Amino acid sequence: MRQLLRCGWVAAMLVAGTATAVVPLQDAQGQPLPTLAPMIEKIRPAVVNIATSSEVSIPDNPLLRDPVFRRFFGVPDQRPQTRRNQSLGSGVIVDAANGYVLTNNHVIDKAQQITVTLADGREFAATLIGADPEADVAVIQIPAEKLSALPLSNSDTLRVGDFVVAIGNPFGLGQTVTSGIVSALGRSGLGIEGYEDFIQTDASINPGNSGGALVNLRGELVGVNTAIVAPGGGNVGIGFAIPINMARELMNQLIEFGEIRRGRLGIGAQTLTPELAKAFNIACCQGVVISRVEESSAADKAGLKVGDVVVAFNDRPLKDSADFRNALGLVRAGAEIQLQVMREGQKRSIRAKIEAPKQERFEGRGLNRRFEGAVFGSLTETSQLNSQVGGLLLLEVATGSPAWQAGLRQNDLIVTVNRQRVTSREEMERALKLSAEAILLNVRRGDQALFVLIQ
């Protein structure tokens, strides 16, 4: 069974991994053997090790408050109330003058302390500049001098078969170099992030490599190592990196604003299939079909219509809905985009100005006392494009609250209430009036669908 892992390393786990060098060495009489050493020596100072630590509360167990239970099982009276978590990962210096380090969000997520160790042994406490959980990108800053930064490549020029080198901190061993090729491009649908457009490589990537560098043979950064397929917990030659073009756009926003300010177009879209292409009588077989246009949205103002087939985004051909979602996710609010659209057999160019997102947010206690402790919200456009069902998102739920005790959890997607579809507060209010005794919810939780009955 396939197991997909982000390649951050937690101190509690240690499994064996392998490293394979695939750049061939060739004999030459009287001539030096080919080597990557000069390039590696030049770029190593720009790749750093990242260590994080945090304290988390240990959930209270009512049994442990019982003196009889504690005495019978030998549980000490003084129990720790918190647990310290530690993890290791990697990062890349991308701005030597300002000390900016690019890494993965999951490397530093919830960290209370971030320590960066340079290749020369210096250690610095880092400050979080900003993070984007949906794309798994983060920027931290260190107060260091005499830094070395990696030049950024254009990842759009990568080809399958190009040689690449991965550098990181696998299993906390320290800086490690492996080599391989680009195995595939544009990998998506893995379910790791909200935005997926991965470079796949067979350069050995293991737990602890997260946030590390994937470079070409010129020593330019082409990607940020992020995840591996790991049936046994170690490397099997299938690793994934975020393309640097995607990471760069997000990094610039994080440095400027401290957050990602994604815009909103106001549509629903699905991948153009050969069957749909035939139904719409168009020759192309790649792109996305617009299935919904929200009234007064940016798409509506630009003149987009249901049934339009978008084949290019800012002059870049679109493959499918995931490709469209990625392209839209890199555009900040207020920017203009240009779409190439097929409508009734004719190609049109449509410009639209992306608007700031408007997400409805409301507290559950105003709807029903059994929802106390829950905060609901409408889906963002990204989530709408990602979801085939729609609904209301549970943004927050307080531990121990009535909503928590009823079985609701953060990020649950409420699809129906009392068998009525809900996408807004008004629809939820109407659905709740159908039953005063009990509330039946249809919930999507990750890849699972379940019913929750609240009485």
Side-chain angles (χ1 to χ4, degrees):
M1 183 175 68
R2 184 184 74 171
Q3 183 179 6
L4 200 59
L5 297 176
R6 285 170 167 159
C7 46
W9 185 71
V10 179
M13 62 178 288
L14 181 62
V15 297
T18 59
T20 304
V22 296
V23 177
L25 296 180
Q26 300 176 356
D27 292 328
Q29 294 180 354
Q31 299 296 324
L33 293 176
T35 177
L36 296 175
M39 183 269 286
I40 299 299
E41 290 169 358
K42 182 178 179 181
I43 67 173
R44 282 185 60 188
V47 182
V48 304
N49 297 342
I50 298 176
T52 66
S53 63
S54 60
E55 285 191 356
V56 296
S57 298
I58 298 176
D60 183 48
N61 187 333
L63 281 175
L64 298 182
R65 294 198 300 265
D66 185 340
V68 176
F69 180 90
R70 290 203 309 270
R71 186 166 57 252
F72 184 81
F73 287 99
V75 178
D77 291 338
Q78 298 298 322
R79 295 177 292 108
Q81 301 300 310
T82 61
R83 180 181 68 249
R84 177 165 288 275
N85 284 348
Q86 295 180 314
S87 65
L88 298 172
S90 309
V92 186
I93 300 172
V94 290
D95 185 333
N98 293 297
Y100 291 134
V101 177
L102 181 64
T103 186
N104 288 136
N105 171 71
H106 75 263
V107 170
I108 53 81
D109 187 34
K110 298 182 176 62
Q112 295 168 342
Q113 293 179 329
I114 305 173
T115 302
V116 171
T117 304
L118 306 184
D120 61 14
R122 289 183 291 166
E123 287 189 359
F124 297 93
T127 302
L128 177 62
I129 298 299
D132 179 25
E134 290 202 70
D136 201 12
V137 171
V139 178
I140 60 178
Q141 187 177 32
I142 54 175
E145 298 179 348
K146 298 180 180 179
L147 295 176
S148 177
L150 274 188
L152 308 186
S153 180
N154 177 7
S155 55
D156 287 343
T157 64
L158 276 179
R159 299 174 301 170
V160 174
D162 284 348
F163 286 110
V164 286
V165 174
I167 308 178
N169 179 29
F171 303 118
L173 293 174
Q175 199 174 83
T176 301
V177 180
T178 58
S179 66
I181 64 169
V182 173
S183 305
L185 295 167
R187 288 297 195 208
S188 61
L190 304 177
I192 310 173
E193 323 295 354
Y195 297 93
E196 297 181 344
D197 186 25
F198 293 119
I199 302 166
Q200 182 181 327
T201 179
D202 67 345
S204 185
I205 297 174
N206 287 290
N209 272 108
S210 279
L214 189 71
V215 302
N216 58 26
L217 295 190
R218 290 190 296 270
E220 300 167 333
L221 186 65
V222 298
V224 179
N225 300 324
T226 298
I228 56 176
V229 171
N235 176 268
V236 294
I238 303 177
F240 301 99
I242 300 169
I244 193 56
N245 285 10
M246 173 184 280
R248 173 167 36 205
E249 292 292 332
L250 299 171
M251 176 183 71
N252 290 339
Q253 287 197 52
L254 292 174
I255 291 173
E256 184 176 354
F257 306 117
E259 62 181 2
I260 301 300
R261 297 184 176 181
R262 290 189 171 91
R264 189 170 188 274
L265 186 56
I267 65 168
Q270 64 188 90
T271 299
L272 177 69
T273 62
E275 294 77 15
L276 286 174
K278 184 177 180 180
F280 286 105
N281 194 28
I282 58 176
C284 63
C285 57
Q286 287 192 326
V288 294
V289 181
I290 296 179
S291 58
R292 174 178 50 83
V293 177
E294 294 182 13
E295 187 177 352
S296 301
S297 66
D300 189 25
K301 294 172 185 175
L304 289 169
K305 298 183 181 299
V306 172
D308 284 350
V309 178
V310 185
V311 296
F313 188 108
N314 286 343
D315 296 324
R316 181 184 176 215
L318 290 175
K319 295 181 295 184
D320 50 30
S321 60
D323 197 18
F324 181 64
R325 184 170 62 250
N326 290 335
L328 190 61
L330 295 178
V331 180
R332 65 181 68 184
E336 277 198 351
I337 61 172
Q338 182 171 325
L339 303 176
Q340 295 293 329
V341 173
M342 298 295 296
R343 181 185 296 170
E344 297 177 353
Q346 301 295 317
K347 182 175 285 189
R348 299 168 181 251
S349 181
I350 295 179
R351 299 191 69 85
K353 186 175 182 179
I354 300 298
E355 297 176 341
K358 300 174 183 177
Q359 185 182 35
E360 183 182 24
R361 181 186 175 98
F362 54 92
E363 294 189 7
R365 64 181 179 183
L367 295 168
N368 188 288
R369 59 178 176 78
R370 287 168 283 194
F371 286 146
E372 186 174 349
V375 178
F376 297 94
S378 57
L379 290 176
T380 62
E381 184 164 62
T382 302
S383 300
Q384 288 172 341
L385 291 173
N386 227 350
S387 171
Q388 301 299 316
V389 293
L392 286 170
L393 194 63
L394 188 53
L395 302 176
E396 301 172 15
V397 58
T399 303
S401 67
W404 174 276
Q405 293 173 356
L408 296 178
R409 296 296 181 264
Q410 187 177 16
N411 294 324
D412 280 353
L413 181 63
I414 313 299
V415 180
T416 66
V417 176
N418 293 330
R419 296 189 172 88
Q420 304 297 308
R421 285 199 172 273
V422 292
T423 59
S424 66
R425 179 190 175 102
E426 289 73 20
E427 291 177 352
M428 196 169 187
E429 287 177 339
R430 287 196 295 269
L432 287 171
K433 292 177 181 177
L434 298 177
S435 175
E437 299 299 325
I439 304 171
L440 180 63
L441 306 178
N442 180 212
V443 176
R444 293 292 178 97
R445 182 175 296 164
D447 294 332
Q448 296 181 327
L450 62 148
F451 283 101
V452 176
L453 182 64
I454 304 177
Q455 296 180 318

